[in-house]
Amino acid sequence: EPEVTQTPSHQVTQMGQEVILRCVPISNHLYFYWYRQILGQKVEFLVSFYNNEISEKSEIFDDQFSVERPDGSNFTLKIRSTKLEDSAMYFCASSEELRNEKLFFGSGTQLSVL
Amino acid sequence: GQQVMQIPQYQHVQEGEDFTTYCNSSTTLSNIQWYKQRPGGHPVFLIQLVKSGEVKKQKRLTFQFGEAKKNSSLHITATQTTDVGTYFCAMDSNYQLIWGAGTKLIIKP
């Protein structure tokens, strides 16, 4: 079964450093998303992406965050200057045809900011 | 902003007992989705409910959507150890999915 893949599985960084989280969505899916989850708590929406542009973003997704689809397969989330409170599990997800319906999630990247 | 309330936060059951989680919204929903997250895992889509009063079953799982489309429930009959995890409801609001806080199903040893 096709799956969303994320790398790395763990990322440790110093406060103020830039990090790039990588995702390969399912190939025929049209919508891509980033979510984060702090310590198994609520799943928080960050951003959705469609047709090579951001379609929606949350208040969390401020100027420190950016997303990119640099080629036909990768989808990246960049945090320019990490803060302690950015420590969380970051999930990439994709959906096939309709926005916000039947999301397939990757296994996540656990980001630890020290 | 729009929120969905999900209760309870935790439910401890003996294996073989039933489990239920509830989601409530103050506004009418277009649809509601349910996801399961195993410990240390990622959310996995279970089902989407769209119609008023809809009831769907997946083996021992029964999903209901209220008549007013403001609430939903997930009921598991005769829980098994494989059911352990956190169950989330999620609703589409302002072009983003809003997630409930989740109900953690814990099987008592």
Side-chain angles (χ1 to χ4, degrees):
Chain A
E1 185 173 312
E3 58 181 22
V4 176
T5 57
Q6 287 187 246
T7 55
S9 56
H10 293 85
Q11 176 85 52
V12 181
T13 190
Q14 295 289 331
M15 191 169 57
Q17 295 295 305
E18 174 184 288
V19 293
I20 297 177
L21 310 183
R22 303 180 192 280
C23 169
V24 179
I26 295 173
S27 61
N28 63 333
H29 283 194
L30 301 180
Y31 290 91
F32 314 128
Y33 315 84
W34 283 101
Y35 284 84
R36 75 176 186 189
Q37 187 179 36
I38 297 173
L39 286 175
Q41 294 176 26
K42 189 180 275 198
V43 179
E44 297 179 300
F45 169 76
L46 295 177
V47 66
S48 58
F49 194 85
Y50 171 75
N51 201 25
N52 286 319
E53 60 183 25
I54 291 173
S55 58
E56 192 65 32
K57 59 184 181 180
S58 72
E59 292 175 355
I60 302 169
F61 195 87
D62 61 22
D63 292 344
Q64 293 300 312
F65 290 86
S66 62
V67 288
E68 203 175 40
R69 188 155 164 82
D71 51 44
S73 59
N74 290 285
F75 179 52
T76 62
L77 173 69
K78 182 193 289 186
I79 309 175
R80 287 190 185 83
S81 178
T82 49
K83 304 175 203 149
L84 296 175
E85 54 264 37
D86 293 328
S87 295
M89 177 71 87
Y90 286 80
F91 289 109
C92 173
S94 65
S95 59
E96 188 173 1
E97 290 181 347
L98 297 174
R99 180 171 53 189
N100 292 331
E101 290 195 6
K102 195 175 179 181
L103 272 61
F104 288 77
F105 283 79
S107 299
T109 295
Q110 180 65 55
L111 176 65
S112 298
V113 182
L114 305 178
Chain B
Q2 207 165 358
Q3 288 192 4
V4 58
M5 303 300 294
Q6 186 172 1
I7 56 168
Q9 189 177 1
Y10 301 93
Q11 193 165 37
H12 294 76
V13 299
Q14 298 278 1
E15 189 174 0
E17 291 181 338
D18 294 355
F19 162 87
T20 306
T21 174
Y22 302 90
C23 281
N24 292 288
S25 168
S26 57
T27 59
T28 303
L29 304 173
S30 57
N31 64 73
I32 195 160
Q33 300 175 49
W34 286 92
Y35 291 79
K36 175 184 178 182
Q37 185 176 28
R38 292 180 187 275
H42 56 277
V44 174
F45 174 80
L46 294 176
I47 209 159
Q48 178 174 281
L49 304 173
V50 179
K51 297 177 185 173
S52 167
E54 190 170 18
V55 178
K56 286 189 176 179
K57 294 195 175 192
Q58 291 178 351
K59 297 183 181 177
R60 293 177 295 102
L61 277 63
T62 302
F63 304 85
Q64 290 190 311
F65 203 9
E67 292 290 339
K69 299 180 72 172
K70 288 186 175 182
N71 57 77
S72 182
S73 65
L74 158 59
H75 180 82
I76 303 177
T77 304
T79 54
Q80 300 175 358
T81 54
T82 53
D83 297 324
V84 162
T86 302
Y87 294 83
F88 292 95
C89 61
M91 65 176 195
D92 196 350
S93 169
N94 293 329
Y95 308 110
Q96 58 179 275
L97 267 187
I98 306 294
W99 294 65
T103 297
K104 195 169 185 178
L105 169 57
I106 299 164
I107 304 278
K108 296 177 192 174

